[in-house]
Amino acid sequence: MQPPVVNVTDCCLFLCSLKQSKSAVRLKEDMKKIATLPLNKQREATCRKVFGVSLQVLQQQGFTKNGIPLLVWNTVEYLTQHGLTQEGLFRVNGNMKMVDQLRLKYERGEEVELAKDADVCSVASLLKLFLRELPDGVITSTLHPRFIQLYQDTRNDAEKENNLKELIKELPDSHYCLLKYLCQFLKRVAEHHMENRMNVFNLATIFGPSCFHGCLN
């Protein structure tokens, strides 16, 4: 007795329906799990992108504190407590494996305890990485030409300083808050330059490219 002939089309339809059925079951189960999570856990489960996301999107998703991205807030707080006197702060790269692990935890929405999970140099590298991967720099690309023009201006320093203050005010709120927060922190770092060997010039050399994405392209 010959085996029954199986129509290829029918077989494909069966496999597709089976796959859809399994997917539907998995989706239903996942939705049940999400529904039982607290609201903050639901947000983490559905949206975990942290790096390479605009400041505005991070703010809309609630991944900020006092207008500052949570990752920046956490790393700056940690470095303020543990890293101000670290020699070569921001100049010496951290352990890249540790940096990748920290990044993955933030991307997954996992709880990160920097005091337990990291060291000063790795946290500093994580902060630099976050800033480098912003879609637009802390200083938005639309304002780059005017900042360069102001830098090249030959007028007296007092007038340039006033013009700089006015220009900075034109930044979007999220960028303005981040720039102000970073400057306040880096000022504290520079105040310890005798210990950490990071004066204003050294810090500007490191953070300039992160703040001015594409400025020299």
Side-chain angles (χ1 to χ4, degrees), residues 14 33 39 45-46 49-50 56-57 59 61 71 73 96 102 111 128 135 137 146 156 165 191 202:
F14 171 75
K33 292 178 181 178
L39 287 177
T46 56
K49 186 73 173 171
V50 175
Q56 290 85 349
V57 170
Q59 196 164 29
Q61 293 175 347
L71 183 144
W73 183 278
M96 292 313 299
L102 291 171
E111 183 178 355
K128 291 189 296 182
R146 294 173 61 188
N156 64 74
K165 290 179 180 179
E191 289 172 352
N202 292 336

Side-chain angles (χ1 to χ4, degrees), residues 44-45 47-53 58 63 71 100-110 112 130 133:
E44 293 171 357
C47 185
R48 299 168 179 168
K49 186 73 173 171
V50 175
F51 287 79
V53 178
L58 288 175
F63 294 156
L71 183 144
D100 288 340
Q101 290 174 344
L102 291 171
R103 172 179 180 152
L104 191 58
K105 282 191 172 185
Y106 273 104
E107 293 282 79
R108 288 175 173 172
E110 298 177 9
V112 181
F130 174 84
E133 294 199 2

Side-chain angles (χ1 to χ4, degrees), residues 19 21 27 62 68 77 79-80 91 117 152 156 162 203 210:
K19 183 177 180 181
S21 177
L27 178 60
I68 308 301
E77 288 294 301
L79 293 172
T80 299
R91 188 179 69 245
D117 300 334
Q152 297 172 338
N156 64 74
N162 289 331
L203 291 170
S210 299

Side-chain angles (χ1 to χ4, degrees), residues 197-212:
R197 307 298 180 187
M198 296 302 293
N199 57 28
V200 172
F201 178 81
N202 292 336
L203 291 170
T205 301
I206 290 173
F207 281 89
S210 299
C211 291
F212 287 85

